[in-house]
Amino acid sequence: MSTASHFIFYVADQQRSTAFYAHVLGMAPRLQVPGMTEFALPGGGVLGLMPIEGIRKLLGAALPDPGAAGGAPRAELYLLLPEPAACHARALEAGARELSPMLARDWGHVAAYCLDPDGHVLAFASVA
């Protein structure tokens, strides 16, 4: 049995977010069913996309409403990749909003930042 860490973003529109991430990551999802999409990430992680209404049904009233964030950044996905500039460019082509271009960072990476359509921060990086 293999294990992997899963990062699940709550999204307003599962199909729109699936198309966005398929374009950005340059791959088809490994799972695509009503209520969940999964992409295998570099390094063994998994990015899940779950509609907001799905997590509301799953956890009920105990969960603060993720839809109330209104696009405010609530999470960051930081990906170390062999070609981060290409992923960043694809994200911008697919409708992401650039926050910071590809720059050398003081922690030893070269990284660019953008916002996905649901307001999640995406970072595409490589070791400098």
Side-chain angles (χ1 to χ4, degrees), residues 78 100-113 128:
Y78 192 96
S100 178
M102 191 68 59
L103 297 172
R105 307 297 174 164
D106 61 2
W107 57 87
H109 291 172
V110 176
Y113 289 82

Side-chain angles (χ1 to χ4, degrees), residues 65-112:
D65 183 5
R74 302 170 312 281
E76 176 180 321
L77 181 61
Y78 192 96
L79 298 172
L80 281 170
L81 304 162
E83 296 182 21
C87 283
H88 183 66
R90 287 195 302 268
L92 299 178
E93 289 170 5
R97 183 168 60 96
E98 186 170 60
L99 299 173
S100 178
M102 191 68 59
L103 297 172
R105 307 297 174 164
D106 61 2
W107 57 87
H109 291 172
V110 176

Side-chain angles (χ1 to χ4, degrees), residues 21-117:
Y21 280 98
H23 183 74
V24 170
L25 298 172
M27 68 176 73
R30 73 177 204 170
L31 174 73
Q32 176 69 22
V33 297
M36 181 58 73
T37 300
E38 291 183 354
F39 290 93
L41 294 175
V46 175
L47 174 62
L49 305 173
M50 177 183 277
I52 290 171
E53 62 271 8
I55 195 63
R56 284 181 185 143
K57 288 178 187 173
L58 183 67
L59 297 179
L63 177 74
D65 183 5
R74 302 170 312 281
E76 176 180 321
L77 181 61
Y78 192 96
L79 298 172
L80 281 170
L81 304 162
E83 296 182 21
C87 283
H88 183 66
R90 287 195 302 268
L92 299 178
E93 289 170 5
R97 183 168 60 96
E98 186 170 60
L99 299 173
S100 178
M102 191 68 59
L103 297 172
R105 307 297 174 164
D106 61 2
W107 57 87
H109 291 172
V110 176
Y113 289 82
C114 62
L115 281 177
D116 81 359

